[in-house]
Amino acid sequence: MSELENRNPDPLTKNVVFLTAVDDIINATRANSVWPLTFGLACCAIEMMATGAAKYDIDRFGSGPFRGTPRQSDLMIVAGTVTHKMAPRVKRLYDQMPEPKYVIAMGGCVIRGGPYVKHGYHVVKGVDLLVPVDVYIPGCPPRPEALLEGLFKVQKLMKREKILDRTRRTTKPEVYHAVYPGLILRNAEDGIWANHWGSQGEAARGVGGGGHRWRGPVCGRQGRGVGRRGRALPR
Amino acid sequence: MTEAKIRTEEMLLNMGPQHPSTHGVFRVVVRTDGELVLESESHIGYLHRCFEKCAEGNNYLQVVPYTDRMDYLCAMMNNWGYAVAVEKLAGIEVPERAEYIRVMVAELNRVASHLLAFGTYGLDIGAITPFLYAFRDRERILKIFEKLCGQRLNYSYVRIGGVTFDMTEEILADIEAFCDYFDPKIIDEYDNLLSYNGIFISRTANVGVMPADLAISYGVTGPSLRGSGVQRDLRRDAPYGIYDRLEFDVPVGTGEMGQLGDCWDRYMVRMREMRQSIRLVRQVLRDIPEGPFCDKKAYRAVKPKAGETYKRVEGARGEVGFYIVSDGTNIPYRVKARAPSFSNISILDKLTSLSDVMVADLVAIIGSLDIVLGEVDR
Amino acid sequence: MVVKAEAWAAVAGLCRDDSRLGFDLLSCITGVDYPEREDGAEIEVIYNLDSIANHHELTVKVKLPRDDPRIASVEEIWRTADWHERETYDLLGVVFEGHHNLVRILCAEDWVGHPLRKDYEPPDSFHGIKNVIY
Ligand code: SF4
């Protein structure tokens, strides 16, 4: 209840009756029970599985029951490479999800084609050509901590949802800045310094992830080509 | 009403490409009659990431990260297969220490890969707990790899001419601690948990029986072929690296729970292979020599003479082969990858037509073949 | 070993059935495109055979003209050739005569062109999805 404030002004019933906005209560329940769609496509999916499994345990953060069907889920974690053969299915799965729905693009491949950006004739260069994306998590693959961070961003977005106002979907993209400084993340538990761009050799050669610099998960509705409602956004 | 009067209808069912138990984006179209699968047709290519085209556009060193992403569960073996092929083409000598390190990381990676296969196979069959156990121990291996090369999945650690970073004493101690922790206590725990579980046995024994000659004709290799009782392991039959100096057994299927070559046999070969891998790692820990960890020249650039070669190594799923054509420049003219999962999964259609298979058994068969879609489609 | 295209079917049968050869495992089929050879543009198809019992390997090369590459299918001899041949057809456009179902396997069904040919240009867009190059 910490994120809900009691708006009851009456001192007599203050501690007995709890008044709040409908938005707040709906958003709080929604954000603390996110049901992601299992949408593992490639290597990133393994990290997504690791996030759900014993050590990183996504259940701690009010998310977790990975659903096998889009009709029961409200968050699509696109983890892996989207190819032209797969693209119609991605779109259809997205369309089958009930509103309000959120999309996390996990990994360099779904952001801009990742390592396959130049020669990958069969790779879709970014899932945001197909569906609008809420949060981008760069990395190849992103660490489970990064995915968790991305989930928090989505939960933040969920808490700002208004049931009467659906127009916010066309507002300007917002970008949250890095929690982690620079390119390096310290994994507090292990005391290990890990490079977010994969092994050092890769980073130096620049095939790690489609030319993105790590800024932490980037958040914002940056659909290219299609708007949240399927309308074309102004470029 | 007698049974003859009930009219049944055939149905065409589409499993995948987005299906929780197809291990990725694999699609099978099955013609069913009730619960029975009459026929199936596999469709692949939903993850075709153009590895071979990418390899033609990058120089020899830059191709290594792409090989990781083919079979992302045992990336070390893919790196190794590619490195072996290029080394043969360019005539590069690998330092002794590097060969030992390669065996060590590859075997640890094999354990990690089999652990994932074990966990997800449990999930397919309907046992959720083994998955959590498997990931608990897989994380330990990943932690070692992370210390070693900074990555959890796509290591690019084995490179042409050696390995990327040297092994430190600290990491060696970690690996030793892991071996002591893992074998035999944890593997026995797994056997108690899943392998000899009555429900598990009845779900997998006598299901998807794969005769040896058929498996060979379909090009099945690795644990799936050994599950059918064929003694075939490239580490022993065509040794590369330093495998000829090490002692290990090649476990094969025995048919103890049912017919030879059923799902349980294939599964059990993996469990037994993990013990052998730990045995190999222990031997390497014992006699790892000092010295350089990579060929100095090959660390910077590789430029083989014109020619072609085909080399294979034993990956976690079978034989990982690379056919490389060089035209004398520093960019490969053609790289073709032989992916074990690609051949392994092609037998699926035949297996479903051989015997009466239920839809739930189909999932068990796919799981026991242990495919990685990144490798099937490349 | 280089084999003429017409002879390949017979040679393949011999390779598997002769007990001294005994190549029971077809490991890999590779196609290589050579658009600029002196004696005309060629496509080479390379078969890597392996014998599990006898522990030996063999590489067989077949050279085909680039504008009309046709070769007999060995699908009946090694079942694994089925998918490998489909892949080679998909990526290089080699036609395997006698294959029961020679359709694309990796690329989408209505993909145009054979990507691993050296002169291949990726399409600007596919089904309305732009192929942006950054
Ligand atoms: S971003 Fe990297 S790890 Fe993720 S799917 Fe793409 S290649 Fe694999």
Side-chain angles (χ1 to χ4, degrees):
Chain A
M1 279 293 153
S2 60
E3 63 241 7
L4 304 178
E5 86 196 82
N6 193 347
R7 303 185 187 189
N8 189 356
D10 180 8
L12 263 181
T13 56
K14 176 95 181 160
N15 295 324
V16 188
V17 179
F18 190 89
L19 288 190
T20 185
V22 178
D23 274 346
D24 287 354
I25 195 112
I26 288 181
N27 289 344
T29 47
R30 191 176 272 152
N32 290 311
S33 155
V34 186
W35 286 21
L37 169 68
T38 5
F39 199 48
L41 295 167
C43 353
C44 283
I46 307 295
E47 287 300 71
M48 188 172 78
M49 276 159 72
T51 317
K55 187 171 171 190
Y56 293 98
D57 197 6
I58 199 169
D59 285 295
R60 292 176 297 166
F61 304 105
S63 172
F66 279 98
R67 308 310 298 176
T69 157
R71 293 178 190 82
Q72 298 172 354
S73 43
D74 44 12
L75 169 67
M76 181 155 117
I77 304 177
V78 190
T81 319
V82 182
T83 62
H84 281 296
K85 203 170 177 178
M86 193 67 195
R89 276 85 178 174
V90 178
K91 184 91 179 87
R92 179 187 289 186
L93 285 169
Y94 177 78
D95 291 343
Q96 283 177 344
M97 281 165 56
E99 284 273 2
K101 47 195 170 188
Y102 301 84
V103 179
I104 291 184
M106 180 182 180
C109 281
V110 276
I111 298 177
R112 289 291 188 273
Y116 305 95
V117 67
K118 194 159 169 212
H119 302 285
Y121 50 87
H122 200 240
V123 174
V124 174
K125 310 287 162 36
V127 74
D128 45 12
L129 292 167
L130 303 168
V131 297
V133 174
D134 292 290
V135 173
Y136 296 85
I137 309 175
C140 187
R143 295 178 55 87
E145 289 97 331
L147 178 57
L148 289 176
E149 181 71 27
L151 177 78
F152 302 155
K153 301 289 182 213
V154 166
Q155 286 175 334
K156 235 178 221 168
L157 278 179
M158 286 178 168
K159 284 181 190 149
R160 286 188 293 151
E161 192 85 37
K162 289 208 171 23
I163 52 166
L164 291 181
D165 176 20
R166 294 279 160 112
T167 53
R168 59 138 192 105
R169 306 214 146 106
T170 51
T171 52
K172 230 174 88 211
E174 291 167 49
V175 177
Y176 289 93
H177 279 288
V179 183
Y180 310 125
L183 272 162
I184 308 288
L185 162 76
R186 183 153 199 277
N187 179 347
E189 188 206 321
D190 302 335
I192 294 170
W193 291 83
N195 187 330
H196 261 275
W197 283 121
S199 64
Q200 284 84 332
E202 242 166 86
R205 289 194 295 274
V207 285
H212 283 256
R213 308 274 331 223
W214 169 256
R215 299 188 288 187
V218 181
C219 171
R221 303 180 180 281
Q222 300 174 321
R224 287 181 298 163
V226 274
R228 184 82 189 176
R229 295 248 162 217
R231 270 187 288 129
L233 283 179
R235 293 261 155 172
Chain B
M1 195 158 66
T2 57
E3 217 172 275
K5 279 190 194 144
I6 304 174
R7 203 169 57 86
T8 61
E9 237 176 48
E10 288 174 5
M11 192 167 91
L12 212 59
L13 198 70
N14 200 354
M15 256 175 86
Q18 197 270 327
H19 189 279
S21 60
T22 52
H23 291 216
V25 281
F26 177 61
R27 172 168 162 233
V28 217
V29 182
V30 286
R31 197 155 59 78
T32 58
D33 182 3
E35 269 286 286
L36 225 54
V37 176
L38 301 176
E39 200 183 25
S40 75
E41 195 188 338
S42 337
H43 292 262
I44 61 170
Y46 293 94
L47 193 53
H48 178 46
R49 294 192 283 189
C50 334
F51 161 71
E52 286 157 20
K53 193 79 181 173
C54 293
E56 287 173 17
N58 290 294
N59 69 33
Y60 281 94
L61 290 175
Q62 285 171 333
V63 176
V64 177
Y66 289 102
T67 61
D68 283 324
R69 284 155 183 79
M70 272 169 41
D71 182 352
Y72 32 84
L73 290 182
C74 62
M76 296 284 187
M77 268 85 101
N78 283 343
N79 296 163
W80 196 356
Y82 174 74
V84 169
V86 178
E87 279 153 14
K88 180 164 174 230
L89 207 55
I92 296 169
E93 278 288 313
V94 183
E96 191 86 331
R97 185 176 170 84
E99 291 282 18
Y100 277 87
I101 296 179
R102 281 179 178 189
V103 172
M104 184 146 51
V105 291
E107 293 305 323
L108 279 179
N109 206 185
R110 192 187 307 274
V111 173
S113 163
H114 285 349
L115 274 178
L116 197 110
F118 156 82
T120 47
Y121 197 41
L123 270 190
D124 291 346
I125 300 290
I128 305 218
T129 333
F131 173 73
L132 300 173
Y133 278 76
F135 262 79
R136 177 196 66 187
D137 299 326
R138 189 171 170 270
E139 288 292 342
R140 283 176 181 255
I141 301 180
L142 296 194
K143 206 157 134 185
I144 294 172
F145 284 157
E146 207 179 338
K147 267 190 190 172
L148 195 58
C149 58
Q151 251 285 24
R152 284 165 50 87
L153 210 57
N154 298 326
Y155 314 104
S156 300
Y157 179 64
V158 177
R159 62 185 292 147
I160 302 163
V163 293
T164 313
F165 306 106
D166 201 1
M167 205 46 117
T168 61
E169 286 300 318
E170 190 195 343
I171 298 172
L172 287 178
D174 278 358
I175 293 176
E176 194 159 7
F178 173 77
C179 291
D180 294 341
Y181 158 82
F182 191 68
D183 182 44
K185 187 178 134 252
I186 297 293
I187 307 188
D188 289 344
E189 185 179 302
Y190 290 157
D191 279 348
N192 287 335
L193 199 65
L194 194 63
S195 313
Y196 296 107
N197 178 320
I199 303 173
F200 180 72
I201 290 173
S202 53
R203 280 292 308 275
T204 54
N206 289 325
V207 171
V209 179
M210 192 155 83
D213 52 342
L214 192 74
I216 293 175
S217 172
Y218 270 92
V220 177
T221 47
S224 305
L225 178 63
R226 291 195 280 276
S228 299
V230 183
Q231 283 265 359
R232 160 79 171 179
D233 192 324
L234 281 181
R235 288 176 292 170
R236 201 199 48 196
D237 295 347
Y240 51 94
I242 52 154
Y243 276 114
D244 45 357
R245 292 181 222 165
L246 303 172
E247 267 175 41
F248 62 101
D249 299 330
V250 179
V252 291
T254 50
E256 49 196 286
M257 291 300 160
Q259 272 168 285
L260 181 65
D262 56 7
C263 289
W264 194 85
D265 274 342
R266 286 196 284 281
Y267 160 85
M268 205 57 200
V269 166
R270 291 201 182 89
M271 302 305 283
R272 294 193 174 127
E273 250 177 38
M274 286 205 273
R275 291 178 201 263
Q276 297 303 326
S277 293
I278 296 290
R279 194 171 146 199
L280 281 168
V281 173
R282 286 206 172 116
Q283 290 173 39
V284 172
L285 280 174
R286 193 188 59 208
D287 18 88
I288 182 166
E290 287 297 322
F293 60 90
C294 188
D295 187 277
K296 275 234 176 58
K297 252 168 91 195
Y299 200 86
R300 297 177 178 278
V302 182
K303 200 170 173 184
K305 287 196 216 51
E308 34 201 277
T309 185
Y310 180 64
K311 275 300 235 180
R312 286 171 301 170
V313 298
E314 183 79 28
R317 283 162 192 77
E319 301 177 7
V320 183
F322 282 91
Y323 194 96
I324 301 182
V325 182
S326 155
D327 57 354
T329 59
N330 63 347
I331 293 174
Y333 189 75
R334 173 89 165 88
V335 177
K336 155 90 193 188
R338 185 230 189 252
S341 303
F342 180 79
S343 304
N344 288 5
I345 196 62
S346 68
I347 202 175
L348 180 72
D349 297 348
K350 183 76 184 170
L351 286 186
T352 52
S353 66
L354 270 187
S355 57
D356 281 353
V357 173
M358 303 280 201
V359 176
D361 293 344
L362 186 68
V363 173
I365 296 175
I366 296 177
S368 76
L369 289 172
D370 185 24
I371 51 166
V372 164
L373 262 295
E375 191 181 43
V376 175
D377 301 339
R378 274 155 293 147
Chain C
M1 191 168 90
V2 182
V3 173
K4 280 228 175 74
E6 306 85 58
W8 169 232
V11 172
L14 187 76
C15 281
R16 191 197 56 176
D17 295 332
D18 190 289
S19 62
R20 277 163 304 166
L21 298 173
F23 291 108
D24 43 7
L25 179 73
L26 173 63
S27 181
C28 185
I29 298 181
T30 312
V32 189
D33 183 20
Y34 293 103
E36 287 149 10
R37 279 254 165 116
E38 297 97 56
D39 40 348
E42 275 179 338
I43 287 186
E44 277 180 5
V45 181
I46 298 149
Y47 296 80
N48 293 99
L49 308 178
D50 193 316
S51 165
I52 290 185
N54 302 348
H55 298 299
H56 51 214
E57 303 180 24
L58 179 70
T59 306
V60 180
K61 238 186 221 182
V62 187
K63 296 190 176 172
L64 308 171
R66 187 166 185 266
D67 39 6
D68 182 28
R70 286 177 180 279
I71 187 171
S73 166
V74 289
E75 187 205 1
E76 292 297 316
I77 302 174
W78 297 283
R79 303 295 319 181
T80 177
D82 179 357
W83 281 25
H84 280 283
E85 283 176 356
R86 274 175 72 186
E87 189 199 327
T88 314
Y89 164 73
D90 187 355
L91 300 182
L92 279 136
V94 179
V95 178
F96 292 87
E97 282 166 338
H99 191 289
H100 78 283
N101 180 24
L102 197 64
V103 292
R104 285 186 185 273
I105 186 168
L106 293 182
C107 296
E109 294 85 24
D110 46 355
W111 196 258
V112 184
H114 300 288
L116 282 189
R117 294 216 175 182
K118 292 286 174 187
D119 53 3
Y120 175 75
E121 288 287 328
D124 289 339
S125 76
F126 186 72
H127 285 282
I129 303 165
K130 275 227 224 101
N131 219 346
V132 223
I133 308 271
Y134 298 96

